[in-house]
Amino acid sequence: MVNLATDRDIMKTEMDKIRNIGIIAHIDAGKTTTTERMLYYAGKLYKMGEVHDGTAVMDWMKQERERGITITAACTTVIWRNNRINIIDTPGHVDFTAEVERSLKVLDGAVVVFCAVDGVEAQSETVWRQADTYKVPRIAFINKMDRTGADFYGCLKEMKNKLGTNPVVLQLPIGSEALFEGMIDLLRMKAIRYLDDKGEKFEYQDIPEDLMKTAEKYREKILVKLAEFDDEILDAYIHSDEISIEKLNQVIRSTTIACKIVPVLCGAAFKNKGVQFLMDAVCDYMPSPVDVPPIKGINPQTEVEETREARSDEPFSGLCFKITTDSFLGKLNYVRIYSGSIKSGSYIYNVNKEKRERVTKLLQMHADKKEPQDEVSAGDIVAIVGLRNTVTGDTVAEESSPIILESMHFPDPVISLAIEPKTKVDQDKLFTALGKLSEEDPTFRVGYDEETGQTIISGMGELHLEIILDRLNREFNVGTHVGKPQVAYKETITGTAVVESKFVQQTGGRGQYGHVKLSLAPGEKGSGINIVDKVKGGAIPKEFMSAVKTGIHSGAVSGILGGFPVIDVNVEIIDGSSHEVDSSELAFKMAGSLAFQEGLKKSKSVLLEPIMDLEVFTPDGYLGDVIGNLNSSRANIKSITERTNIKLIRAFAPLSELFGYATIIRSLTQGRALFVMLPSHYDVVPQNIAEKIVGQFNC
């Protein structure tokens, strides 16, 4: 139930009272449950929703409620202590990591939820690195202290060792597992005990005697750490003077915003313990839009860098970070507004497309519920109806003061399926539906194989494509047939070569003449195709150099081993020649493409395959069977560690060997093992397997 009375005033909050945060974590750490509790305690809900019951408000998609996982990042807004907190609840499954990526791009802070039982897991590391990339300040919430095997201090140790972070513990748990009762507030040096099951009533009490020494030890650690950053606290600590909570909070806030420390709290969201204090910490320590540096961008007219401050009297600017399709309103563009303001019914300017767009409606989102707004300004995150040409990553601004903000970069898909419509009626609807889905999801790609005549869809994993197919059926009423999953192989070179090619055609009139000489060498991993012009003396006229480069890129689209894309090659254009009459852009483009393809043959091309970083959690009794299966799957086992009677296996394994692994691991362990896999890197396919793959695609 949406609290509409509060929502009507929600957009009028002062800028320094706004918090734009994301809830990020590994799958099943309790992100959505934590968010549901935030909504309940803030008065947004009258009843707590549960993920396992399919009643969580933030998991609004049918696919989310059926599977008990978050698939799409959902936005909501709550009022807490007169602060407006805009929350994005993000997915934890690796297949939907782009949702985390684009959310962190536009957020000012994040709450990272850790499971007290499982500690820092694979996706925890991934989202932490993503937050590092965007320099997002963080608060850590060690959740599930009520679960069997909960280990607060073990989780804390893993945060230091695996994430290399600087945690400052502000709360300690009182008990754990079934005996978890509450928390110790180390700033007030008081115990927090709950008086009811809903977590609405609690009181501060004296710290239990058996925990006093531990509390004093961690309180000392807070003071020592903060003294590194503030002379007043250092002086008071040296002279054993009292330090006010206000002063401590002030320094914790400034150092958190500067990403120098990470405040750590604990609780059990499912048991309704600790969430209100987490919300307090968000208000106390997370930055407002005015606390973060002004957004930077490029003025397309002058090509000079400019900044926009988070003020409503600045020229309007915003970034579209997400698109969804609503069955009634059509396309919704989610936009973070960095400066200025806009009104419903006004016009804005898409700087990337150089087109005016009309703002039909402005909506404040609460998962899939919508609250219309007349006007929004800097610091707001809203959904806009009416933008026809704007896509994810586009900048919108005032036409008279254009600026292009940095866009987002998403990983390439690693798995593909051939898809075809079941009927003629489905055929007409399929491409429209696929177009809408690819517009929503930057990691979902649609292609066409000219040789086979098949439509190819590509994504980040089996679950990702499974959800896409389910949405095609349910939302768009499109029936499909699908082929077997295909791995996104790539090609690179292992040697060097110097090659040249002439493209010469004479047809009676003006002919075609292009001549280039290239040097090819292996590039660094992830470098793509790097082209350098080393031509001297004008052997290739400058007006044709871009055509040569276009030809090289064209040749790299489809390599010589099965037609897979070529990556990580350094190309030097070292020589060539031209004809006064017959040379043209087309001729040099063809010469560049042919020379590159010839260079692949002479520089020992090899096939690359995506390698997954795999974590398997299995009971002791099944360890041998799981290891044996991994060995037969060409896995490279990195480590085997123990966690509370559970073995954790970390390994690198080829994606091609992991199709259907969920079924395999379930049968090997009677359904008792869990696994998580993340894309790691590309590696060379063994020769005997590469020959089979190339033969399959060349036949």
Side-chain angles (χ1 to χ4, degrees):
M1 178 177 179
V2 180
N3 186 347
L4 296 179
T6 302
D7 289 346
R8 290 192 183 98
D9 300 321
I10 231 165
M11 289 304 196
K12 300 175 183 176
T13 313
E14 295 178 10
M15 197 84 67
D16 63 348
K17 294 291 186 182
I18 296 174
R19 303 289 183 271
N20 291 315
I21 66 160
I23 312 293
I24 62 176
H26 183 91
I27 189 171
D28 202 33
K31 298 179 305 303
T32 301
T33 300
T34 301
T35 308
E36 292 288 314
R37 297 318 188 253
M38 287 181 167
L39 296 175
Y40 177 78
Y41 293 128
K44 195 87 172 184
L45 304 176
Y46 72 92
K47 181 182 178 182
M48 300 180 194
E50 304 295 354
V51 174
H52 59 275
D53 291 335
T55 57
V57 172
M58 300 304 285
D59 284 348
W60 58 271
M61 293 176 66
K62 291 179 181 178
Q63 293 86 352
E64 293 177 314
R65 293 184 171 179
E66 289 172 354
R67 292 166 174 80
I69 62 170
T70 301
I71 293 170
T72 184
C75 302
T76 190
T77 301
V78 300
I79 297 294
W80 186 255
R81 285 174 32 191
N82 294 321
N83 289 269
R84 172 155 59 89
I85 307 176
N86 297 321
I87 304 170
I88 298 183
D89 176 30
T90 66
H93 196 286
V94 61
D95 284 14
F96 311 105
T97 190
E99 292 288 311
V100 183
E101 187 82 21
R102 59 181 168 191
S103 298
L104 288 172
K105 171 68 177 175
V106 299
L107 291 170
D108 301 325
V111 173
V112 188
V113 181
F114 296 96
C115 174
V117 179
D118 297 321
V120 177
E121 301 171 89
Q123 187 69 358
S124 305
E125 296 183 52
T126 300
V127 298
W128 195 273
R129 287 195 299 270
Q130 288 173 307
D132 281 341
T133 299
Y134 295 111
K135 296 181 174 60
V136 175
R138 276 146 277 177
I139 292 172
F141 181 60
I142 299 180
N143 190 30
K144 300 193 178 184
M145 283 303 308
D146 60 309
R147 289 272 301 275
T148 302
D151 184 357
F152 175 85
Y153 300 99
C155 186
L156 197 63
K157 184 178 179 181
E158 288 194 355
M159 285 177 62
K160 295 177 184 177
N161 295 339
K162 290 187 176 182
L163 305 177
T165 189
N166 200 355
V168 172
V169 179
L170 303 184
Q171 290 179 345
L172 294 176
I174 301 175
S176 65
E177 302 181 340
L179 299 177
F180 177 64
E181 300 176 11
M183 300 82 65
I184 295 173
D185 184 333
L186 294 173
L187 297 185
R188 291 176 174 82
M189 285 303 281
K190 288 287 185 180
I192 302 167
R193 292 191 183 272
Y194 286 85
L195 307 177
D196 68 334
D197 291 338
K198 286 191 173 181
E200 295 177 303
K201 298 178 182 178
F202 55 86
E203 65 180 17
Y204 286 97
Q205 300 178 357
D206 291 336
I207 298 173
E209 288 186 16
D210 60 326
L211 292 176
M212 182 57 79
K213 284 188 177 180
T214 304
E216 289 173 345
K217 171 185 172 184
Y218 277 87
R219 162 83 177 189
E220 182 94 354
K221 288 185 176 183
I222 294 175
L223 299 179
V224 170
K225 180 55 65 177
L226 297 184
E228 295 179 16
F229 306 107
D230 187 87
D231 291 339
E232 186 180 331
I233 292 180
L234 175 61
D235 186 66
Y237 175 71
I238 291 172
H239 295 94
S240 300
D241 293 338
E242 193 67 29
I243 307 171
S244 69
I245 292 176
E246 290 74 17
K247 178 61 180 178
L248 292 173
N249 276 334
Q250 176 193 334
V251 180
I252 293 171
R253 175 178 173 78
S254 63
T255 49
T256 300
I257 292 173
C259 294
K260 294 178 180 178
I261 67 167
V262 176
V264 179
L265 297 89
C266 63
F270 182 63
K271 295 294 184 180
N272 312 315
K273 290 181 172 66
V275 176
Q276 298 100 319
F277 302 97
L278 176 60
M279 295 169 75
D280 286 342
V282 168
C283 296
D284 289 337
Y285 309 133
M286 288 284 93
S288 72
V290 297
D291 294 318
V292 296
I295 193 72
K296 295 180 180 179
I298 301 296
N299 185 322
Q301 297 172 346
T302 63
E303 296 188 356
V304 174
E305 184 177 85
E306 295 182 0
T307 60
R308 294 283 190 272
E309 293 188 13
R311 298 203 323 255
S312 57
D313 59 350
E314 281 266 295
F316 167 72
S317 67
L319 182 72
C320 175
F321 67 95
K322 178 181 171 69
I323 291 175
T324 62
T325 302
D326 183 86
S327 55
F328 298 104
L329 297 173
K331 187 168 76 169
L332 302 182
N333 289 75
Y334 286 73
V335 174
R336 163 67 193 266
I337 300 175
Y338 286 103
S339 63
S341 61
I342 53 171
K343 293 182 178 180
S344 180
S346 64
Y347 284 88
I348 57 178
Y349 184 63
N350 184 321
V351 188
N352 300 80
K353 304 291 194 306
E354 299 183 350
K355 290 187 177 181
R356 294 182 78 202
E357 298 264 49
R358 187 172 186 272
V359 178
T360 306
K361 288 184 179 181
L362 295 168
L363 303 173
Q364 179 209 329
M365 300 300 296
H366 175 55
D368 60 335
K369 305 293 190 299
K370 308 163 190 73
E371 177 68 14
Q373 301 294 324
D374 296 326
E375 183 177 5
V376 293
S377 58
D380 291 332
I381 294 176
V382 296
I384 301 179
V385 181
L387 307 186
R388 296 184 177 182
N389 302 297
T390 303
V391 298
T392 299
D394 279 358
T395 300
V396 286
E398 282 185 21
E399 189 168 2
S400 59
S401 300
I403 188 173
I404 296 181
L405 306 177
E406 183 185 11
S407 188
M408 290 164 279
H409 304 284
F410 299 101
D412 291 329
V414 297
I415 184 173
S416 301
L417 289 174
I419 183 174
E420 61 183 33
K422 281 185 177 180
T423 67
K424 180 68 175 176
V425 176
D426 290 324
Q427 184 174 4
D428 297 334
K429 296 186 291 184
L430 177 61
F431 294 105
T432 300
L434 290 176
K436 289 182 178 180
L437 290 172
S438 61
E439 188 177 47
E440 287 184 21
D441 185 351
T443 60
F444 173 62
R445 311 279 172 83
V446 181
Y448 183 73
D449 189 325
E450 294 184 358
E451 292 185 6
T452 63
Q454 291 178 311
T455 299
I456 307 296
I457 60 173
S458 304
M460 299 306 296
E462 289 181 282
L463 179 60
H464 187 194
L465 294 184
E466 179 188 320
I467 297 296
I468 292 289
L469 295 172
D470 192 42
R471 291 186 64 191
L472 282 172
N473 183 34
R474 291 193 188 188
E475 294 177 30
F476 299 96
N477 197 27
V478 178
T480 58
H481 294 295
V482 296
K484 292 182 179 180
Q486 295 292 343
V487 177
Y489 293 105
K490 296 186 185 296
E491 181 181 329
T492 193
I493 61 174
T494 57
T496 60
V498 175
V499 292
E500 61 182 315
S501 175
K502 285 185 180 180
F503 181 77
V504 182
Q505 281 188 348
Q506 198 66 44
T507 56
R510 178 179 174 180
Q512 297 284 356
Y513 182 92
H515 171 216
V516 297
K517 188 174 184 180
L518 306 178
S519 172
L520 276 65
E524 293 184 6
K525 286 187 177 180
S527 62
I529 304 297
N530 184 35
I531 305 173
V532 178
D533 177 6
K534 289 288 185 74
V535 176
K536 296 179 180 179
I540 299 176
K542 286 190 175 181
E543 62 264 29
F544 297 131
M545 189 56 68
S546 63
V548 176
K549 293 179 180 179
T550 300
I552 293 170
H553 283 296
S554 176
V557 169
S558 178
I560 61 173
L561 301 177
F564 301 111
V566 182
I567 61 171
D568 304 341
V569 178
N570 290 333
V571 183
E572 291 182 352
I573 307 171
I574 55 178
D575 202 1
S577 63
S578 63
H579 188 279
E580 290 183 2
V581 177
D582 292 346
S583 286
S584 66
E585 288 191 1
L586 174 63
F588 274 101
K589 177 182 175 182
M590 293 300 298
S593 179
L594 293 169
F596 183 80
Q597 291 273 314
E598 183 64 25
L600 293 178
K601 297 175 184 177
K602 294 185 176 181
S603 52
K604 301 176 183 177
S605 277
V606 293
L607 204 61
L608 301 174
E609 62 182 342
I611 303 296
M612 309 302 285
D613 189 348
L614 181 68
E615 283 191 350
V616 183
F617 301 84
T618 179
D620 268 343
Y622 304 103
L623 181 64
D625 292 336
V626 174
I627 293 283
N629 175 261
L630 288 174
N631 286 331
S632 67
S633 301
R634 298 195 284 129
N636 175 21
I637 296 173
K638 298 188 292 182
S639 65
I640 302 173
T641 55
E642 187 164 354
R643 284 186 183 173
T644 322
N645 299 323
I646 295 290
K647 296 291 187 183
L648 167 59
I649 307 166
R650 298 200 68 170
F652 285 130
L655 174 62
S656 61
E657 302 286 350
L658 296 176
F659 290 140
Y661 191 66
T663 302
I664 294 170
I665 196 71
R666 196 179 298 126
S667 63
L668 286 174
T669 64
Q670 298 180 6
R672 296 180 62 191
L674 298 172
F675 77 95
V676 178
M677 56 180 174
L678 306 169
S680 175
H681 60 281
Y682 272 80
D683 208 348
V684 178
V685 180
Q687 182 64 29
N688 60 325
I689 297 174
E691 289 174 359
K692 293 179 183 178
I693 295 169
V694 172
Q696 175 187 345
F697 282 90
N698 283 341
C699 64

